[in-house]
């Protein structure tokens, strides 16, 4: 069976990373968390003492840094210039600024180029905000995964509590997710959009297993199911 690519887009907190990882594992494909790449740049910016609005300096820094995404059974490991930042990039301090960093054209151009290279050999499940519209417009399977703001906030709140990184109340988190939605939708470069040929999937009342099964069903219907 020939390999194919799967693009999973959607707003913050929709569960894209978890779903994409499980789908990739079921198919024996490579999972690429593009959001982790933007978070990695944001982490490096903070480490270097730059402000998020120093666009030229941020772009220059991003061009100098090396980002590695390493598949692990427990999830994707993120290495920046030899340092494991897998946990650090999930903190509120990073989340608060990643949408701004991701809005810069130079940053998106750099990371999208890397992402396109990863997809050339096929057999990739990639999630983000502009995968189906910009990074992998020719992906055989495209899904736009969403859920209500309230549901996404509750999921993220539990996730952050479990990892010990929660510094916001549920109400504050809900407001933050709504703010990020607006930023992602309004940015000039590759805004958050549902591709015209993407399947809309509202996971508000669905379990993780149900979402994964539905996507695997799409794969079987369209391309035969992978390995």
């Amino acid at each position: 069976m020939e390999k194919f690519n799967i693009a999973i887009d959607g707003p913050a907190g929709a569960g894209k990373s978890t779903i994409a990882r499980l789908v990739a594992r079921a198919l024996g494909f490579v999972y690429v968390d593009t959001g982790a790449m933007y978070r990695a740049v944001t982490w490096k910016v903070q480490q270097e003492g730059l402000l998020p609005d120093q666009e030229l300096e941020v772009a220059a820094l991003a061009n100098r840094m090396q980002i590695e995404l390493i598949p692990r059974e427990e999830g994707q490991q993120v290495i920046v210039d030899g340092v494991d930042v897998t946990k650090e990039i999930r903190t509120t301090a990073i989340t608060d600024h990643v949408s701004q960093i991701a809005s810069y054209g130079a940053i998106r151009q750099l990371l999208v180029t890397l992402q396109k290279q990863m997809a050339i050999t096929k057999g990739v499940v990639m999630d983000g905000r502009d995968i189906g519209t910009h990074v992998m417009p020719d992906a055989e399977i495209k899904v736009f995964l969403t859920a209500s703001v309230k549901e996404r906030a509750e999921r993220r709140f539990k996730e952050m509590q479990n990892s010990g990184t929660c510094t916001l109340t549920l109400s504050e988190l809900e407001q933050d997710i709504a703010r990020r939605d607006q930023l992602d939708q309004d940015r000039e470069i590759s805004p958050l959009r549902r591709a015209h040929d993407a399947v809309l999937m509202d996971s508000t009342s669905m379990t993780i297993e149900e979402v994964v099964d539905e996507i695997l069903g799409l794969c079987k219907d369209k391309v035969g199911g992978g390995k």
Side-chain angles (χ1 to χ4, degrees), residues 21-202:
R21 186 174 67 250
L22 292 173
V23 168
R25 183 183 300 170
L27 295 173
F29 286 6
V30 175
Y31 164 54
V32 178
D33 176 3
T34 64
M37 300 173 77
Y38 291 99
R39 285 176 173 271
V41 174
T42 306
W43 177 85
K44 190 68 173 181
V45 166
Q46 294 183 356
Q47 290 296 302
E48 294 294 315
L50 296 176
L51 297 174
D53 56 3
Q54 293 180 275
E55 185 172 353
L56 293 178
E57 291 83 354
V58 167
L61 176 62
N63 275 283
R64 295 195 304 270
M65 62 187 285
Q66 182 180 17
I67 303 173
E68 298 175 81
L69 304 180
I70 304 173
R72 292 282 188 265
E73 186 65 28
E74 66 277 10
Q76 183 175 253
Q77 185 179 20
V78 183
I79 308 294
V80 174
D81 294 334
V83 179
D84 186 347
V85 299
T86 307
K87 291 184 178 179
E88 285 82 354
I89 64 172
R90 299 298 171 184
T91 62
T92 303
I94 301 300
T95 300
D96 286 345
H97 299 291
V98 66
S99 289
Q100 182 177 357
I101 298 297
S103 71
Y104 295 148
I107 302 298
R108 299 204 73 82
Q109 183 177 9
L110 172 67
L111 297 187
V112 165
T113 297
L114 294 176
Q115 292 156 13
K116 285 178 177 289
Q117 290 172 353
M118 294 175 184
I120 288 176
T121 56
K122 299 284 189 175
V124 165
V125 182
M126 195 176 292
D127 75 280
R129 305 287 197 281
D130 62 347
I131 310 305
T133 57
H134 194 62
V135 180
M136 297 197 304
D138 297 324
E140 289 81 353
I141 301 292
K142 296 181 185 179
V143 174
F144 191 88
L145 182 65
T146 189
S148 68
V149 172
K150 185 175 186 296
E151 177 66 22
R152 286 186 279 137
E154 289 177 351
R155 291 175 184 173
R156 183 61 61 84
F157 187 68
K158 291 177 183 176
E159 181 182 286
M160 295 173 76
Q161 279 187 318
N162 291 337
S163 63
T165 60
C166 190
T167 59
L168 300 175
T169 65
L170 180 57
S171 177
E172 289 171 336
L173 193 54
E174 190 170 337
Q175 293 173 18
D176 183 64
I177 284 178
R179 177 186 63 83
R180 289 183 63 194
D181 283 353
Q182 200 65 48
L183 285 171
D184 290 338
Q185 291 165 8
D186 293 345
R187 70 183 180 220
E188 293 184 15
I189 309 296
S190 299
L192 173 64
R193 295 284 186 273
R194 173 188 170 191
H196 70 90
D197 53 348
V199 174
L200 177 63
M201 204 171 292
D202 188 329

